[in-house]
Amino acid sequence: MSGDDAGGTDAPRPTLDGVIETGVYVDDLDRARAFYVDVLGMAVLLDTPRLLALSVGGRSVLLLFARGATSESLPTPGGMVPGHGASGVQHFAFAVGATSLDGWRAHLAARGVAIESEVRWPRGGTSLYVRDPDGHSVELMTPGLWAIY
């Protein structure tokens, strides 16, 4: 399939506009809530026994799924949500302002969250890496890592 082919037709491929949701799987939703809401400051959009949906900067959504609670498809009034799941340590990154790193370092230290690593990228960006309570690698990234960010 060529880069301009939309599945064998002559029609142009529609474009993607961004990532809206990122999902990770956690062992304890209350413990995860304490980290993402209380430490990182996300706002709760939805809170159920199956998942916690959090606003990330008012532009995207972090879905925290109770591990094992999503393996079966979920019927909803609007249609079927296919089952899904993952195991092991996952990674994702959040955008932060270039001038906010000192504030993040101080905030994380005050909350007892260790910075596992700090990386300065060739394009000028910096990443702070921390672990959430489930061991997931959480990156706080300033502009300058990618050509598009």
Side-chain angles (χ1 to χ4, degrees):
M1 185 163 137
S2 73
D4 293 327
D5 191 342
T9 69
D10 291 333
R13 177 184 17 236
T15 60
L16 297 174
D17 295 330
V19 176
I20 301 302
E21 298 174 344
T22 297
V24 296
Y25 301 84
V26 301
D27 292 322
D28 184 323
L29 284 173
D30 289 334
R31 183 180 68 182
R33 171 200 281 273
F35 180 78
Y36 289 98
V37 173
D38 299 341
V39 175
L40 296 186
M42 295 180 188
V44 176
L45 300 172
L46 177 68
D47 188 354
T48 74
R50 185 175 181 264
L51 76 99
L52 184 63
L54 304 172
S55 172
V56 182
R59 293 184 304 274
S60 59
V61 179
L62 178 64
L63 300 174
L64 302 175
F65 293 105
R67 196 178 308 278
T70 60
S71 57
E72 300 294 324
S73 294
L74 176 70
T76 73
M80 187 71 69
V81 176
H84 52 84
S87 61
V89 174
Q90 296 165 283
H91 166 77
F92 44 95
F94 298 113
V96 299
T99 60
S100 72
L101 287 178
D102 287 339
W104 274 110
R105 287 183 195 100
H107 177 74
L108 293 167
R111 296 299 206 136
V113 177
I115 295 174
E116 181 177 10
S117 180
E118 182 168 335
V119 177
R120 289 180 182 81
W121 300 105
R123 290 181 180 269
T126 300
S127 294
L128 301 178
Y129 291 88
V130 300
R131 295 285 173 172
D132 79 356
D134 285 271
H136 298 308
S137 176
V138 179
E139 182 179 359
L140 304 178
M141 175 194 306
T142 68
L145 170 57
W146 300 108
I148 61 169
Y149 178 74

